[in-house]
């Protein structure tokens, strides 16, 4: 060993790594070329099959803007947004109860999640929709007077929208409660202690220190759930609520262009979901910005482009 | 270090008056008795160092002083106020968390693991307490925060996020954050234990400066030389009780108890 090292030192020109920098041959990514060709082939076949199918593609753009379809689109978005927003609010409250020191609140929140997560959404919607069978009227008397704050037959109040909203929203709130709880528990206990040590009240500790940091954990699954919610509104078609699927059925039962109408609706779902994706991206970036200040800035597209590029070639520094 | 006076320190009353008095503190976790009747007196302007092996109950004692931990028995009075309670006639009424928060605002704490708010800049970390808790106007809070950051040698880091700072810098921000509340008392729980050895000195220097300016401090540390040079009073704890206490020359220089001697031999080895 010592001899060989000594020998190398006396003949520096021959030692590996000395002399001129050598040309470097990069790895060729043959797999990517093969995969690309395969995808092109499959797309080609698919395109051929689709173009031969018995579908009137030219009618689809007009269908997109049919009044019934647009009405369904608006109803879908309104239902999904209101149900998700309500679920976020209720879910946060339930999560706070679940993590509270009060054993009664903990138990109530556990039972709430157990029920509303356990029952199928369709069943929950049907239960709400048919509630008039059990309670013919809803009335809220104003105490010490003969007046009523609310006094209506149940089947007037419980519209398709309200039943769908309650079914979807309450079910989602149980999932949101678990998402928010995961976010709250992901924040280091030292953060709470530091916040308390500067005299913050429990509400301030939560709103200024814990929740902002929990957002990083809360937003991605919430975005997921919202996309599910957008699509899940289609279940409200069973009680006659005019969301997109119900609108498509109504339209195609008259025009008989079943596939064309369904494809038009598919386009709208993809548009809405894509918009939601972009929104989620910006929300995530907002809450990550301060945690990782040097993180990727720039548009969604820059980020997508970045992830498609090959990692930079690195030269070992010696 | 500049000469900006720390407001709150040694203010309002003569030095030497009792600021903290703990009597018969008890605390247990399950069947483990962590504090078994601890008494502690800290006078205004004093630096008291708590020494003791890991598990002796030092952190628990410190955390009882600002009620991060509720004692199971005994009392702690800080500046004439029973911590965690409202004094009414001959009774102590337990306070709600919201009201305990008001008591905590008067007592700063510096943690072993810094616990800076990672989602806020250095400046925002320091102004958070004054603005959110005391309702100080933002401009005013920022001016004082910049002054404090300048003092701890981080005047050029105001807009940085904590994860860009070294451990020593983070701990100095944490000290500035505590000072921003103009506390009557500062608690330090092993402030240099999570630091690389070469960064310990910069944090101890800031603490030494604070001590010199008359800030009342209770410090848990294993830095014996800091205790020897800066402490007015040293308390040695073991097994949830105070074994020995007195001036550093006595407790560190000429310990009376075998456990104190054994501990000092271990940490100074
Ligand atoms: N939250 C807790 N739950 C259970 N045991 C604890 C808790 N906090 C501290 N302890 C225990 O109490 C003892 C004293 O802890 P501590 O006050 O942190 O000691 P020190 O700071 O002197 O090292 C240790 O044995 C520790 O394991
Ligand atoms: Mg400790």
């Amino acid at each position: 060993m010592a001899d060989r090292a000594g020998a190398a030192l006396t003949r520096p020109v021959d030692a590996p790594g000395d002399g001129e920098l050598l040309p470097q041959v990069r790895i060729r990514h043959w797999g990517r070329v093969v995969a690309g060709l395969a995808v092109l082939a499959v797309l080609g076949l698919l395109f051929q099959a689709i173009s031969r199918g018995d579908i009137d593609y030219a009618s689809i753009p007009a269908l997109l803007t049919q009044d019934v379809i647009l009405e369904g689109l608006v109803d879908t978005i309104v239902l999904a947004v209101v149900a998700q927003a309500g679920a976020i609010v209720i879910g946060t409250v339930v999560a706070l109860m679940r993590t509270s020191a009060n054993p009664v609140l903990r138990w109530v929140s556990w039972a709430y999640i157990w029920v509303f997560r356990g029952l199928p959404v369709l069943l929950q919607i049907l239960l709400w929709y048919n509630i008039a069978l059990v309670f013919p009227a809803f009335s809220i008397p104003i105490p010490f007077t003969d007046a009523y704050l609310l006094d209506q037959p149940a089947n007037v109040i419980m519209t398709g929208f309200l039943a769908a909203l309650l079914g979807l929203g309450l079910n989602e709130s149980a999932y949101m409660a678990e998402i928010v709880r995961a976010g709250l528990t992901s924040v280091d206990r030292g953060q709470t202690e530091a916040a308390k040590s500067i005299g913050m009240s429990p509400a301030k500790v939560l709103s200024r220190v814990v929740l902002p940091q929990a957002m990083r954990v809360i937003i991605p699954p919430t975005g997921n759930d919202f996309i599910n919610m957008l699509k899940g509104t289609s279940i409200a078609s069973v009680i006659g609520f005019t969301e997109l699927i119900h609108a498509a059925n109504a339209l195609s039962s008259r025009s008989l262009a079943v596939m064309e109408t369904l494809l038009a609706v598919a386009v709208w779902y993809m548009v809405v979901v894509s918009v939601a994706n972009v929104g989620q991206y910006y929300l995530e970036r907002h809450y990550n910005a301060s945690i990782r200040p040097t993180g990727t800035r720039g548009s969604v597209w820059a980020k997508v482009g970045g992830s498609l590029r090959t990692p930079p070639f690195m030269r070992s520094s010696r | 270090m500049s000469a900006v006076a720390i407001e709150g320190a040694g203010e309002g009353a003569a030095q030497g008056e009792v600021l903290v008095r703990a009597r018969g503190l008890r605390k247990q976790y399950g069947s483990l008795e962590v504090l078994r009747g601890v008494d502690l007196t800290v006078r205004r302007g004093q630096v008291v160092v708590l020494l003791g092996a890991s598990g002796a109950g030092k952190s628990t004692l410190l955390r009882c002083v600002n009620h991060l931990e509720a004692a199971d028995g005994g009392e702690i009075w800080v500046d004439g106020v029973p911590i965690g309670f409202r004094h009414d006639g001959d009774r102590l009424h337990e306070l709600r968390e919201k009201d305990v928060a008001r008591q905590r605002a008067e007592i700063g704490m510096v943690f072993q693991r810094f616990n800076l708010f990672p989602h806020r800049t250095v400046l925002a970390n320091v102004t958070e307490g004054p603005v959110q808790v005391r309702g100080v106007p933002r401009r005013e809070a920022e001016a004082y925060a910049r002054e404090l950051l300048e003092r701890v040698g981080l005047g050029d880091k105001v807009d940085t996020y904590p994860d860009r700072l070294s451990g020593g810098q983070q701990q100095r921000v944490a000290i500035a954050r505590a000072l921003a509340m103009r506390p009557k008392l500062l608690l330090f729980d092993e402030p240099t234990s999570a630091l690389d050895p070469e960064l310990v000195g910069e944090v101890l220097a800031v603490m030494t400066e604070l001590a010199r300016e008359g800030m009342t401090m209770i410090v848990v540390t294993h830095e014996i030389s800091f205790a020897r040079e800066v402490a007015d009073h040293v308390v040695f704890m073991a097994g949830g009780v105070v074994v020995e206490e007195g001036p550093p020359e006595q407790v560190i220089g000429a310990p009376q108890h075998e456990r104190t001697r054994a501990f000092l031999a271990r940490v100074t080895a």
Side-chain angles (χ1 to χ4, degrees):
Chain A
M1 283 292 280
D3 279 348
R4 277 170 58 192
L9 282 175
T10 58
R11 292 190 289 122
V13 178
D14 291 341
D18 282 343
E20 295 283 300
L21 293 177
L22 300 175
Q24 296 170 340
V25 180
R26 295 186 180 209
I27 295 172
R28 281 179 208 264
H29 299 284
W30 291 115
R32 297 176 193 189
V33 176
V34 173
L37 289 175
V39 168
L40 282 179
V42 170
L43 283 180
L45 289 173
L46 203 60
F47 185 76
Q48 202 192 11
I50 289 175
S51 61
R52 284 191 193 166
D54 186 13
I55 293 182
D56 180 11
Y57 291 106
S59 70
I60 293 180
L63 285 172
L64 284 175
T65 52
Q66 286 279 319
D67 284 349
V68 191
I69 296 291
L70 289 180
E71 190 193 334
L73 175 67
V74 169
D75 280 358
T76 288
I77 294 172
V78 169
L79 178 57
V81 168
V82 176
Q84 189 70 38
I88 289 172
V89 173
I90 298 172
T92 305
V93 172
V94 174
L96 291 174
M97 288 164 66
R98 194 97 169 78
T99 51
S100 108
N102 183 331
V104 178
L105 294 185
R106 279 207 306 273
W107 186 87
V108 168
S109 59
W110 179 87
Y112 179 92
I113 294 169
W114 184 61
V115 170
F116 286 102
R117 199 173 58 174
L119 295 174
V121 183
L122 179 56
L123 178 65
Q124 294 190 45
I125 292 177
L126 289 174
L127 285 174
W128 287 115
Y129 195 55
N130 292 301
I131 204 158
L133 301 176
V134 194
F135 303 108
F138 294 157
S139 48
I140 304 174
I142 299 172
F144 314 117
T145 66
D146 294 334
Y148 284 85
L149 194 61
L150 178 76
D151 187 20
Q152 288 278 335
N155 52 16
V156 171
I157 293 178
M158 195 51 73
T159 57
F161 176 77
L162 188 57
L165 180 65
L166 287 171
L168 288 165
L170 295 182
N171 176 253
E172 174 61 14
S173 73
Y175 284 97
M176 279 310 303
E178 291 296 88
I179 290 173
V180 173
R181 183 166 72 108
L184 294 177
T185 50
S186 76
V187 179
D188 185 55
R189 247 192 44 211
Q191 290 292 309
T192 308
E193 293 185 350
K196 283 180 174 179
S197 79
I198 55 173
M200 282 190 174
S201 64
K204 289 268 184 197
V205 174
L206 188 70
S207 65
R208 303 285 307 175
V209 176
V210 177
L211 271 180
Q213 294 184 66
M215 282 304 180
R216 279 163 66 229
V217 171
I218 291 174
I219 289 172
T222 304
N224 241 357
D225 276 18
F226 179 55
I227 284 164
N228 252 334
M229 177 67 83
L230 279 167
K231 298 179 298 182
T233 50
S234 57
I235 211 170
S237 60
V238 296
I239 53 168
F241 180 65
T242 56
E243 46 63 62
L244 269 174
I245 299 277
H246 191 267
N249 281 338
L251 190 62
S252 60
S253 66
R254 270 181 277 134
S255 71
L256 301 180
V258 176
M259 267 313 247
E260 288 80 355
T261 317
L262 288 179
L263 285 178
V265 162
V267 168
W268 274 127
Y269 274 116
M270 290 310 290
V271 167
V272 172
V273 166
S274 302
V275 169
N277 271 332
V278 172
Q280 179 182 349
Y281 168 77
Y282 281 102
L283 260 181
E284 280 180 28
R285 199 181 66 161
H286 173 77
Y287 280 102
N288 278 337
S290 50
I291 308 282
R292 283 187 276 107
T294 52
T296 335
R297 296 274 162 123
S299 71
V300 195
W301 313 116
K303 193 183 165 200
V304 171
S307 65
L308 288 178
R309 251 174 271 128
T310 48
F313 180 70
M314 292 219 236
R315 211 150 176 269
S316 66
S317 53
R318 272 211 290 154
Chain B
M1 225 136 286
S2 82
V4 180
I6 297 293
E7 284 158 68
E11 216 176 31
Q15 281 225 338
E17 171 208 23
V18 171
L19 184 68
V20 181
R21 167 154 287 157
R23 287 193 305 169
L25 277 187
R26 305 190 159 276
K27 175 77 187 175
Q28 60 185 65
Y29 295 111
S31 60
L32 177 70
E33 282 188 274
V34 178
L35 296 180
R36 300 187 296 152
V38 172
D39 296 340
L40 179 75
T41 301
V42 181
R43 295 177 181 281
R44 209 180 284 273
Q46 258 191 340
V47 175
V48 173
V49 166
L50 297 183
L51 296 179
S54 176
K58 309 179 297 293
S59 295
T60 306
L61 171 58
L62 209 60
R63 293 157 60 82
C64 283
V65 174
N66 69 349
H67 209 71
L68 281 183
E69 221 67 74
D72 297 326
E75 298 172 3
I76 299 183
W77 295 70
V78 175
D79 206 16
V81 173
I83 296 301
F85 293 89
R86 182 170 49 84
H87 187 199
D88 185 12
D90 58 351
R91 300 260 159 106
L92 294 184
H93 299 269
E94 192 176 355
L95 286 180
R96 301 194 165 280
E97 187 63 18
K98 194 157 55 86
D99 302 310
V100 175
R102 213 160 292 137
Q103 296 182 333
R104 283 199 196 104
E106 312 287 324
I107 304 171
M109 188 166 201
V110 175
F111 301 86
Q112 181 174 347
R113 284 172 49 246
F114 329 132
N115 297 345
L116 292 179
F117 306 132
H119 58 306
R120 317 298 309 280
T121 63
V122 163
L123 188 69
N125 263 274
V126 180
T127 56
E128 186 71 4
V131 172
Q132 294 298 325
V133 176
R134 295 236 197 268
V136 175
R138 183 166 298 278
R139 292 261 303 282
E140 198 178 305
E142 284 186 356
Y144 189 49
R146 280 174 202 279
E147 222 169 79
L148 289 170
L149 287 166
E150 199 67 52
R151 267 182 57 92
V152 299
L154 294 170
D156 56 337
K157 300 288 186 192
V158 286
D159 294 324
T160 313
Y161 283 89
D163 67 349
R164 301 278 126 193
L165 301 180
S166 74
Q169 291 172 328
Q170 289 192 47
Q171 195 61 298
R172 286 184 281 149
V173 174
I175 293 173
R177 175 175 70 180
L179 290 173
M181 294 299 288
R182 305 171 199 259
K184 293 173 179 157
L185 168 69
L186 267 186
L187 311 173
F188 293 82
D189 193 357
E190 301 200 30
T192 59
S193 294
L195 298 179
D196 292 336
E198 78 270 20
L199 302 178
V200 168
E202 63 192 53
V203 171
L204 292 182
V206 169
M207 292 167 62
T208 305
E209 182 67 20
L210 284 176
R212 190 164 305 146
E213 286 175 12
M215 175 59 76
T216 314
M217 301 166 34
I218 306 178
V219 183
V220 175
T221 185
H222 293 301
E223 299 290 332
I224 300 298
S225 58
F226 176 84
R228 203 195 314 266
E229 285 152 30
V230 181
D232 299 296
H233 190 80
V234 175
V235 176
F236 176 73
M237 287 179 69
V241 293
V242 173
V243 172
E244 181 167 2
E245 62 180 311
E249 311 83 67
Q250 183 193 315
V251 178
I252 298 172
Q256 300 300 303
H257 284 259
E258 186 47 46
R259 298 181 83 167
T260 320
R261 274 194 286 261
F263 170 79
L264 288 171
R266 245 182 304 126
V267 293
T268 52

